[in-house]
Amino acid sequence: MVRGYLTTKSTDDAGKPRIDVAFDELGDELFGDGHLGRGQVLIDVAYSSLNYKDALLLAGKPGVSRADVLVPGIDVVGVVRESRTQNFVPGDRVVLNGAGLGETRHGGLAELCLVDDESLIHLPEAMSLVDGAAIGTAGYTAMLSVLALEKQVEPGDGDVLVTGAAGGVGSVAIALLAGLGYRVVASTGRGGQEGDYLRRLGASEIIDRHELSDAPGKPLQSERWAGAIDAVGSTTLANVLAQTRREGLVTSCGLAQGTDLPTTVMPFILRGVTLRGINSVVQTVEVRAEAWNRLLELDSELLESMTEVIALEEALEYAQPILNGKVRGRTVVRVRGDA
């Protein structure tokens, strides 16, 4: 038997969709061919992590799961047990982020995971399994944002803003950018509580998120940012765009405030601002490998300082605090007790 979480779709008495979540011993048949797609590689999952999508599903929120029965968890870090492809052999240390995990096929919050090899990559040799999970989708997304940003914005060009700064993407983004020499401004609603934490990661300045989130400002505002990494969306992103300097670049990788974008075309056609969407779910193996190899630049002590490791059976109780913005940095789930 395999320990893990299982979510089941149903409807309530009023006909509204609901998600039931259980932690239990799961049957081996869930991890064989034919269940939620074929797979060539069977992984002994050592660690996973908790991301916003995972928290939504664990909290029973409809919308993330595309399957009637699903193991949540969009991150898998572990060791190959069986392989039917020459690209991987038993004993290989591997990592997979997104690619349908925890949405259309079983994810990482169970002790086994059967995956395709199309998006699977080898974990960099110098990186531990737990560090791979601490980085996870959030850190991988942050690195994709940094890769996009550094093609257009250099460290000497001016301040780079990171919104949702105390979250997983924001924490890793600050550490990466500061390590590359950028002057980072962190936007957060928890400046009093997390100010020291954000400064340790490399933030030079901290601003209150309400400066950006309360209401859309003018279509063009005073130029403040050479670039930005936004994990919030909605009014915050609209104001960031309106404050971005000429030929600046803003990456959009999250929707913590909302999916709407109340802005105009003015920042784009009058200042040449670039809005670059970051899709961490669907990427080529080459892009994934580039991002993960660059993540070796992340200071291991800083990564450890932003990471909390919990047991598999504790994951459920962290879901709502993550949705409420009460959890900082990265939450790693030790899936196997001997990992």
Side-chain angles (χ1 to χ4, degrees):
M1 301 297 288
V2 178
R3 294 190 321 143
Y5 288 90
L6 198 65
T7 65
T8 306
K9 280 186 176 182
S10 62
T11 55
D12 62 19
D13 293 339
K16 294 182 179 180
R18 60 176 287 173
I19 300 287
D20 295 307
V21 184
F23 177 71
D24 208 343
E25 290 187 344
L26 312 178
D28 291 344
E29 66 276 5
L30 286 178
F31 306 96
D33 283 348
H35 194 94
L36 299 185
R38 292 188 70 251
Q40 295 82 33
V41 184
L42 184 64
I43 301 170
D44 283 316
V45 182
Y47 295 95
S48 186
S49 67
L50 293 183
N51 302 279
Y52 196 79
K53 283 183 180 178
D54 304 319
L56 285 170
L57 187 50
L58 287 172
K61 307 289 186 182
V64 174
S65 173
R66 302 290 189 269
D68 291 337
V69 178
L70 186 72
V71 175
I74 64 175
D75 287 331
V76 165
V77 181
V79 178
V80 174
R81 175 187 286 197
E82 299 173 7
S83 175
R84 295 196 297 270
T85 171
Q86 61 183 5
N87 297 325
F88 299 93
V89 299
D92 282 353
R93 303 180 323 133
V94 293
V95 57
L96 181 58
N97 313 106
L101 293 177
E103 297 184 75
T104 60
R105 62 184 305 144
H106 291 322
L109 291 178
E111 292 175 327
L112 286 179
C113 191
L114 181 69
V115 304
D116 296 318
D117 68 345
E118 297 173 352
S119 302
L120 187 67
I121 64 170
H122 291 90
L123 191 70
E125 289 186 12
M127 189 178 291
S128 69
L129 291 170
V130 67
D131 282 355
I135 290 169
T137 287
Y140 163 58
T141 300
M143 189 72 246
L144 291 175
S145 294
V146 170
L147 288 171
L149 188 77
E150 65 183 1
K151 291 178 180 177
Q152 192 162 322
V153 179
E154 297 182 356
D157 289 345
D159 289 350
V160 173
L161 176 71
V162 175
T163 67
V169 174
S171 295
V172 179
I174 290 170
L176 287 170
L177 289 167
L180 290 168
Y182 291 89
R183 186 180 189 275
V184 183
V185 178
S187 169
T188 180
R190 296 180 279 167
Q193 177 184 351
E194 304 293 1
D196 290 343
Y197 164 76
L198 295 172
R199 292 184 185 92
R200 284 198 304 272
L201 295 181
S204 298
E205 183 181 343
I206 297 170
I207 64 172
D208 191 281
R209 71 181 179 194
H210 293 293
E211 292 186 29
L212 300 167
S213 66
D214 282 356
K218 295 179 180 179
L220 288 179
Q221 302 170 33
S222 298
E223 297 180 49
R224 301 178 67 180
W225 322 116
I229 293 177
D230 175 66
V232 177
S234 191
T235 301
T236 295
L237 178 54
N239 284 319
V240 171
L241 290 167
Q243 296 172 11
T244 299
R245 297 180 182 180
R246 296 181 187 277
E247 305 302 326
L249 182 140
V250 177
T251 67
S252 173
C253 59
L255 42 76
Q257 187 179 3
T259 59
D260 61 316
L261 184 57
T263 189
T264 73
V265 299
M266 303 297 274
F268 311 116
I269 63 175
L270 294 184
R271 288 185 180 163
V273 172
T274 298
L275 176 59
R276 176 73 156 79
I278 301 298
N279 182 351
S280 63
V281 176
V282 181
Q283 288 291 346
T284 65
V285 168
E286 291 77 15
V287 171
R288 290 173 183 270
E290 178 188 8
W292 274 93
N293 285 326
R294 284 288 306 275
L295 282 161
L296 288 170
E297 300 171 11
L298 185 61
D299 185 282
S300 60
E301 291 185 2
L302 284 180
L303 181 61
E304 183 178 359
S305 74
M306 69 177 80
T307 302
E308 180 180 4
V309 181
I310 65 173
L312 180 59
E313 49 268 40
E314 295 179 281
L316 193 60
E317 66 189 71
Y318 277 71
Q320 197 59 53
I322 287 174
L323 297 181
N324 293 341
K326 302 298 184 183
V327 176
R328 77 179 186 193
R330 301 289 293 130
T331 302
V332 168
V333 181
R334 181 183 287 108
V335 177
R336 291 181 177 271
D338 56 355

